[in-house]
Amino acid sequence: MAVKPIVVYPDPILKQVCAPVQAIDDEIKELIEDLVDTMHAGPGSVGVAAPQIGVSRRVCVIDVSKNRHGKENNHGLLLMINPEILAKSGGAVMREGCMSVPDYTGDVERATELTLRFTEPDGNVREFDASGFEAVAIQHEMDHLDGFLFLDRIASLKTGLFRRKSYK
């Protein structure tokens, strides 16, 4: 449908817990299309959550299949309504960035395996296991739905936050 502008920290919508979706209607389907278009337009983006485009609803999209870290292990394009993590295990510290925090990256510790359940736009409930980079990306986007940014999860304040280099 449309590429939407990304909401940037410290906008207060990024710190809100998003409302669950009660019914999958045309408005929600349009939101999902906007999220996919916005994700594909973002430089290196592997996911976008609804609050990042100014909508406080529990909807996000993820696709790590084109990223070098997720090429070998992914479930393709995930269109997730009311996602929930049922179980998680393992752990690793990885460098994360975010379109809503454009000037920084940081080392974040995340689970490396998880079991996830969500509703798809057609109303089907899907449950599966994710691992590696895909699991990390899912947790990052789901954090947005709960009002968290990767900044809230920095592994070490002493060594964990880095300013991106400017190439202008």
Side-chain angles (χ1 to χ4, degrees):
M1 297 283 320
V3 174
K4 298 293 186 177
I6 294 293
V7 174
V8 178
Y9 178 77
D11 191 297
I13 196 170
L14 296 172
K15 300 306 284 177
Q16 294 176 2
V17 175
C18 295
V21 172
Q22 300 300 324
I24 301 170
D25 54 17
D26 288 342
E27 182 181 326
I28 294 299
K29 290 178 181 178
E30 186 175 317
L31 170 61
I32 290 169
E33 290 179 26
D34 290 345
L35 288 168
V36 171
D37 291 345
T38 303
M39 176 182 66
H40 287 147
S45 177
V46 296
V48 178
Q52 291 183 276
I53 62 168
V55 180
S56 188
R57 301 299 295 273
R58 296 191 74 76
V59 179
C60 59
V61 300
I62 295 164
D63 186 356
V64 300
S65 66
K66 293 173 183 64
N67 183 283
R68 65 185 170 97
H69 299 293
K71 269 188 186 203
E72 303 298 320
N73 180 22
N74 68 78
H75 290 88
L77 177 61
L78 301 172
L79 310 174
M80 304 192 312
I81 301 167
N82 298 331
E84 57 184 312
I85 294 173
L86 305 176
K88 54 185 172 180
S89 62
V93 174
M94 292 185 168
R95 170 87 57 213
E96 291 187 22
C98 181
M99 291 189 294
S100 291
V101 187
D103 295 330
Y104 294 92
T105 62
D107 291 338
V108 178
E109 185 171 3
R110 302 260 189 204
T112 53
E113 298 178 26
L114 57 87
T115 301
L116 178 72
R117 179 172 47 220
F118 61 92
T119 303
E120 296 178 306
D122 61 8
N124 287 326
V125 175
R126 186 170 176 192
E127 188 173 311
F128 67 85
D129 295 327
S131 61
F133 183 65
E134 184 177 53
V136 168
I138 289 168
Q139 291 167 87
H140 177 105
E141 296 310 326
M142 286 183 64
D143 266 359
H144 281 295
L145 306 181
D146 291 322
F148 292 102
L149 297 168
F150 81 92
L151 299 173
D152 300 312
R153 306 253 190 239
I154 297 294
S156 167
L157 290 177
K158 189 180 274 189
T159 62
L161 187 63
F162 299 89
R163 188 165 182 80
R164 288 186 180 161
K165 292 180 181 176
S166 176
Y167 297 101
K168 294 178 186 175

